[in-house]
Amino acid sequence: MKKQKTRDHIVEAADQLFYQQGYEHTSFTDISDAVQISRGNFYYHFKTKDDILDAVISARMDKTRKMLAQWELDGSTPQGRIECFIRILITNRDKILNYGCPVGTLTTELAKLNHASREEANALFTLFRTWLEEQFILLGRSKDADDLAMHLLARSQGVATLASAFHDAKFIDQEVAQMCDWLNAYMPKE
Amino acid sequence: MKKQKTRDHIVEAADQLFYQQGYEHTSFTDISDAVQISRGNFYYHFKTKDDILDAVISARMDKTRKMLAQWELDGSTPQGRIECFIRILITNRDKILNYGCPVGTLTTELAKLNHASREEANALFTLFRTWLEEQFILLGRSKDADDLAMHLLARSQGVATLASAFHDAKFIDQEVAQMCDWLNAYMPKE
DNA sequence: GTCTATAAGTAGATAGAC
DNA sequence: GTCTATCTACTTATAGAC
């Protein structure tokens, strides 16, 4: 465990602010205000703003991997584990209503900016995609496991976008229930 | 018909650039380069950059209303008209692969910027939402017409986001086919 | 109506004191 | 490691000539 308190604080604050305000719209002043350091101090820890973004994406990758590993423990069946994925919409309901999906909004923004780290951000999607694919394979759907993974990713993504636009919590609950129904009706029974 | 050639050119170029690069990331220099006018000339036609955004949103509202009116003519049944909506994903496939959905990406960006015109952009979503709701009512689904409209909007939105992230045209075609199946299987036959 | 010149502010980034 | 002071580039916006 390295002692990098300030660096970690910067990454944590930048992570939140990039999510809430967008990457480009977040200035060094915003981050330094949040971390309570001077703007100059940044450059001891990072060379450029892009480097902070890379650190944020890397931190999100780690957090996501840990969450997926936890879901492996939480759900005893593939269905149960996929339900864990569907339910993040409810777990993070309030944040999603205000700021949308952290993965979708970042990849969308970086795509418009044609940013060098675009693909790194997309890897966050791939993490979920591959994990979901594995679960569908375990359900005996190896032929279309990736299609089902993409389908579910897209459904969640659309729900987050619309729920955020209309600030509609009920819509999230409704669609989550529908996705769970879809999962149980569409999949072979054990 | 007012003679406002330059003004219209500005709105048209801004519309494209806001879609391709995002609102904040697009500078007056970008727009003036596209229109081939000087930066100073802007302020004869618009007071602020926000005013250009409002004009762009207003133009998109007009274009959308005309498109919806055209779909009323193109489809003889509510099913057929809803299919027109589903198929915009295919009609605009190339643009969506590169820049996502113009409505979804704009509302998402303005939400993060906490921009004054956020609700004006959301009205674009509402235009589709209300129109779809009307079609589902005509199909005899007045009880859950709005839920169905929101469901379909979210599906399309998610498909656009994922297709853009992974630059996957096949995924669009696949999901469009599924949405059409859903529409025909789920809806009462005539 | 369109231009050039320029103001006023903010962005990311650097230098050097402590 | 953290600070202050500063630089350069770029942003929106204005003033005034043509």
Side-chain angles (χ1 to χ4, degrees):
Chain A
M1 187 81 87
K2 292 172 202 164
K3 288 181 202 165
Q4 284 184 318
K5 264 177 62 179
T6 302
R7 198 197 131 100
D8 288 347
H9 287 161
I10 291 172
V11 174
E12 200 186 324
D15 190 352
Q16 275 194 54
L17 287 166
F18 291 171
Y19 177 36
Q20 295 169 357
Q21 315 185 336
Y23 169 68
E24 192 172 35
H25 189 58
T26 300
S27 68
F28 278 37
T29 304
D30 291 334
I31 307 175
S32 62
D33 282 355
V35 186
Q36 301 269 44
I37 58 168
S38 70
R39 279 198 312 282
N41 190 4
F42 267 112
Y43 294 88
Y44 174 79
H45 300 281
F46 298 95
K47 275 177 75 173
T48 66
K49 190 184 176 187
D50 288 352
D51 285 349
I52 300 181
L53 174 62
D54 286 338
V56 165
I57 293 174
S58 180
R60 289 193 189 179
M61 290 286 283
D62 287 346
K63 256 192 275 180
T64 304
R65 283 195 200 93
K66 278 173 191 152
M67 187 172 65
L68 295 175
Q70 185 58 47
W71 290 349
E72 303 269 359
L73 301 174
D74 290 349
S76 52
T77 63
Q79 271 105 335
R81 293 193 280 273
I82 296 170
E83 276 202 23
C84 287
F85 168 79
I86 296 173
R87 288 186 188 287
I88 19 173
L89 284 168
I90 290 178
T91 310
N92 301 330
R93 196 197 284 119
D94 287 353
K95 284 183 184 174
I96 287 168
L97 287 175
N98 284 309
Y99 315 112
C101 167
V103 181
T105 55
L106 182 65
T107 57
T108 300
E109 180 181 3
L110 297 187
K112 299 242 181 212
L113 303 184
N114 200 17
H115 194 282
S117 300
R118 203 198 149 170
E119 289 305 322
E120 271 90 274
N122 283 349
L124 283 162
F125 264 142
T126 305
L127 226 47
F128 286 104
R129 179 180 181 171
T130 309
W131 185 86
L132 285 170
E133 188 190 8
E134 285 165 11
Q135 306 309 316
F136 283 115
I137 289 173
L138 289 172
L139 281 173
R141 301 291 298 248
S142 48
K143 279 248 170 94
D144 57 354
D146 183 52
D147 292 339
L148 294 168
M150 282 289 282
H151 176 80
L152 205 47
L153 266 180
R155 292 269 292 263
S156 308
Q157 197 52 226
V159 170
T161 305
L162 270 289
S164 171
F166 291 114
H167 211 87
D168 188 340
K170 213 192 72 210
F171 175 65
I172 294 182
D173 298 341
Q174 235 170 253
E175 288 285 327
V176 164
Q178 272 188 50
M179 282 189 271
C180 289
D181 288 349
W182 168 83
L183 178 64
N184 290 306
Y186 197 44
M187 290 300 125
K189 309 290 176 196
E190 291 175 273
Chain B
M1 187 80 85
K2 290 172 201 165
K3 289 179 200 166
Q4 284 185 316
K5 263 177 60 179
T6 302
R7 197 196 132 101
D8 288 347
H9 287 161
I10 292 172
V11 173
E12 200 186 323
D15 190 352
Q16 275 194 54
L17 287 166
F18 291 171
Y19 177 37
Q20 294 170 356
Q21 314 184 336
Y23 168 68
E24 191 172 34
H25 190 58
T26 300
S27 69
F28 277 36
T29 304
D30 292 332
I31 307 175
S32 62
D33 283 355
V35 187
Q36 300 268 42
I37 58 168
S38 71
R39 279 196 312 281
N41 191 3
F42 268 112
Y43 295 88
Y44 174 78
H45 301 280
F46 298 95
K47 276 177 73 173
T48 66
K49 191 183 174 186
D50 288 351
D51 286 348
I52 300 182
L53 175 61
D54 286 338
V56 167
I57 293 174
S58 180
R60 289 193 189 180
M61 290 286 284
D62 287 346
K63 257 192 274 180
T64 304
R65 282 193 201 93
K66 277 173 192 152
M67 188 173 63
L68 295 175
Q70 184 58 46
W71 290 350
E72 303 269 359
L73 301 174
D74 291 348
S76 52
T77 63
Q79 271 106 335
R81 293 194 279 274
I82 296 170
E83 274 202 26
C84 288
F85 167 79
I86 296 173
R87 288 186 187 287
I88 17 171
L89 284 168
I90 289 177
T91 311
N92 301 330
R93 196 197 283 119
D94 288 353
K95 284 183 185 175
I96 287 169
L97 287 175
N98 284 309
Y99 316 112
C101 166
V103 181
T105 55
L106 182 65
T107 57
T108 300
E109 180 181 3
L110 297 187
K112 299 242 181 211
L113 302 185
N114 200 17
H115 194 284
S117 300
R118 203 197 149 169
E119 289 305 322
E120 271 89 274
N122 282 350
L124 283 161
F125 263 142
T126 304
L127 226 49
F128 286 103
R129 179 180 182 172
T130 310
W131 185 86
L132 284 171
E133 188 189 8
E134 285 165 10
Q135 306 309 317
F136 283 116
I137 288 173
L138 289 172
L139 280 173
R141 300 292 299 248
S142 48
K143 279 248 171 95
D144 58 353
D146 183 52
D147 292 339
L148 294 167
M150 282 289 282
H151 177 81
L152 205 48
L153 266 180
R155 293 269 291 262
S156 307
Q157 197 52 226
V159 170
T161 305
L162 269 288
S164 171
F166 291 113
H167 211 86
D168 187 341
K170 214 192 71 209
F171 175 65
I172 293 182
D173 298 341
Q174 235 170 251
E175 288 285 327
V176 164
Q178 273 188 50
M179 282 188 272
C180 290
D181 287 349
W182 168 85
L183 178 65
N184 290 308
Y186 197 44
M187 290 299 124
K189 308 288 176 195
E190 292 174 273

